[in-house]
Amino acid sequence: MVSGLSSERQPGKLRYTDENMSSRIRVFDSSVGSKLLIGLTGLALFLYLITHIAGNALIFLGADTFNTYAHTLTSNPLIPIIELGLVLVFLTHIFKTVQMFVRNKAARPVAYAVKKPAGTPSRKTLASSTMIVSGLWLLLFVVLHVQAFKYGLEYEAASGVRDLYRIEMETFASPLTVAFYVVSMLLVGSHLWHGASSALQSLGLDHPSWTPRILAAGKIAAVAIAGGFVVIALWAHVTGGAR
Amino acid sequence: MRLNLKIWRQAGPDGAGKLVDYAADHVSPDMSFLEMLDVINERLVKQGEDAISFDSDCREGICGMCSLVINGVPHGPDRGTTVCQLHMRRFKDGETVTIEPWRARAFPVVKDLVVDRSAFDRIIAAGGYVSINVGGAPDGNAIPVSKQVAEQAMDSAACIGCGACVAACKNASAHLFMSAKIAQLSVLPQGQVERTTRVVAMIAQADADGFGSCSNEGECEAVCPKEIPISNIARMSREFTRAVFAGK
């Protein structure tokens, strides 16, 4: 049906045609396929963050509960596979978003002298305009964060498991570290402020009455998740984990 | 009233353009924005200068030819309005007004404020049509279409192809334009035969023409003179998923 779809339709060559459509890579190279992949991986990372904040909140229940939780989690044989999956999801999200950012920039080589937001009903916010900045910052953050906690100090608690509670308290004893974490978590909130609901829109979820609720829920989740992490960091700093 | 205009002047596709200052005196608040430019052009022609080129046709808001970015917003400050339906009473006496063309790699400037929008024609030619052979003129009600579907299709079909969505989008994306056509034809019985190939081919053509992708900000919807919503873009995602994964 689409035969004849080739370079005669100037300018530029088509990235894929009906004949080689079976190639999934080419599908995901298209502007809509890229959105699907970014939305899917973004949603997975969002769901991961929900489990992360839920687990971290156990720190309020004391060192023993927290350390036991951490040990149970990390000693699960499925964890390395899940971690690998998470890394792949994370790298895919970064690769596709950076690639899309570069292509999107190329789509407007001459900038406007004057450009203003169009206003209602646009969803454009400071958060949506700075996704690449918040995203790249979080890449740096995640590297440092994983280094500090996953591959960090190895204290042993009295029960014999790794004393993650102590590592956390010592890490957040430094005001500089707390500041870095708080800034990073505000950027997580900013990223999710647009990203959480945007992921669902990218995947094609849309409904006259549900879309406004999804948009609101995304913002509530952004504040809750970022706020939760900030509270934990500040709490750890202030109390020093008065054990 | 009097306005200070800053208008993009560019001699040709390859020339470097710049904003040039023009004073617009004795502007009536009842003039349309394009009439105001007509008056300036008459003065320029009398003075032996090159008139400012801009696109217009019907001047009643339905053809999609006019295409000016006014003070940073495509089609100017009014919602759901083309530039030709914008009136000078919307501006203040003494105001500075910047006028620029649509800016996108896929919409090269032809001259001044005129851009070449044939990339949109190529997207439509790639799949935005129904080509089943129906013989002679069919009876109007031979194919039943429910009221709800007819309304839904008509809402998407209201697109006049002006390109304001591309102009407003930070990515110069054509997703709203093509999704409107894809959505319109995907809900109608006449559009089913080419439903799968259409969505794939139109997206591929838009990508090949150098339009960007979509960041779900919805600036396009906010400037669209026909107020076409980005729910069409979500539908395009579903249609694309259906086409490439369900293969039907």
Side-chain angles (χ1 to χ4, degrees), chain A residues 10 104 108 122-123 128 198, chain B residues 103 122 169 213 217 219:
Chain A
Q10 286 294 315
N104 287 344
R108 176 163 294 135
S122 172
R123 301 169 189 177
S128 76
S198 178
Chain B
R103 294 203 187 279
R122 287 189 291 273
C169 177
S213 188
E217 286 193 324
E219 288 284 287

Side-chain angles (χ1 to χ4, degrees), chain A residues 90-165:
Chain A
F90 196 66
L91 292 179
T92 306
H93 193 74
I94 296 163
F95 171 71
K96 288 306 292 183
T97 46
V98 169
Q99 181 193 52
M100 193 197 255
F101 178 79
V102 171
R103 285 178 182 173
N104 287 344
K105 284 291 143 201
R108 176 163 294 135
V110 181
Y112 287 103
V114 180
K115 187 77 167 70
K116 283 194 200 130
T120 326
S122 172
R123 301 169 189 177
K124 189 182 183 76
T125 55
L126 180 63
S128 76
S129 309
T130 52
M131 293 299 275
I132 192 77
V133 179
S134 53
L136 289 177
W137 177 288
L138 292 177
L139 169 60
L140 171 76
F141 168 78
V142 166
V143 170
L144 296 174
H145 177 59
V146 170
Q147 192 182 24
F149 284 93
K150 185 171 168 58
Y151 301 105
L153 296 162
E154 289 290 344
Y155 294 130
E156 198 172 297
S159 57
V161 300
R162 187 178 177 216
D163 195 351
L164 195 64
Y165 188 90

Side-chain angles (χ1 to χ4, degrees), chain A residues 1-2 5-6 8-18 21-22 24 26-36 38 100-101 103-131 194-195 197-207 211 215, chain B residues 8 19 69-74 79 98 100-106 122 125-127 129 131 165-173 175 178 193-194 196-201 203-219 221-223 230-238 240-241 243-245:
Chain A
M1 191 63 71
V2 202
L5 245 197
S6 58
E8 81 223 33
R9 279 218 176 86
Q10 286 294 315
K13 286 210 160 50
L14 291 175
R15 291 217 184 95
Y16 56 85
T17 65
D18 204 36
M21 226 183 71
S22 56
R24 292 283 187 263
R26 285 175 186 273
V27 164
F28 286 122
D29 196 48
S30 76
S31 60
V32 178
S34 296
K35 273 184 76 177
L36 291 176
I38 291 169
M100 193 197 255
F101 178 79
R103 285 178 182 173
N104 287 344
K105 284 291 143 201
R108 176 163 294 135
V110 181
Y112 287 103
V114 180
K115 187 77 167 70
K116 283 194 200 130
T120 326
S122 172
R123 301 169 189 177
K124 189 182 183 76
T125 55
L126 180 63
S128 76
S129 309
T130 52
M131 293 299 275
H194 176 70
S197 57
S198 178
L200 294 177
Q201 161 81 11
S202 286
L203 294 175
L205 260 77
D206 176 77
H207 187 270
T211 298
L215 289 170
Chain B
W8 185 262
L19 286 171
V69 176
I70 297 167
N71 287 339
V73 180
R79 276 266 290 139
T98 307
E100 294 178 78
W102 288 175
R103 294 203 187 279
R105 186 176 132 208
R122 287 189 291 273
Y129 51 79
S131 63
C165 44
V166 175
C169 177
K170 67 176 179 186
N171 308 330
S173 167
H175 279 201
M178 61 176 166
V193 176
E194 287 141 316
T196 301
T197 47
R198 172 182 305 117
V199 58
V200 172
I203 291 167
Q205 185 62 49
D207 291 352
D209 265 304
F211 291 102
S213 188
C214 168
S215 302
N216 301 326
E217 286 193 324
E219 288 284 287
E221 175 180 346
V223 300
I230 59 171
S231 54
N232 287 283
I233 299 181
R235 182 177 288 276
M236 178 168 68
S237 284
R238 299 201 294 276
F240 185 75
T241 309
V244 299
F245 295 107

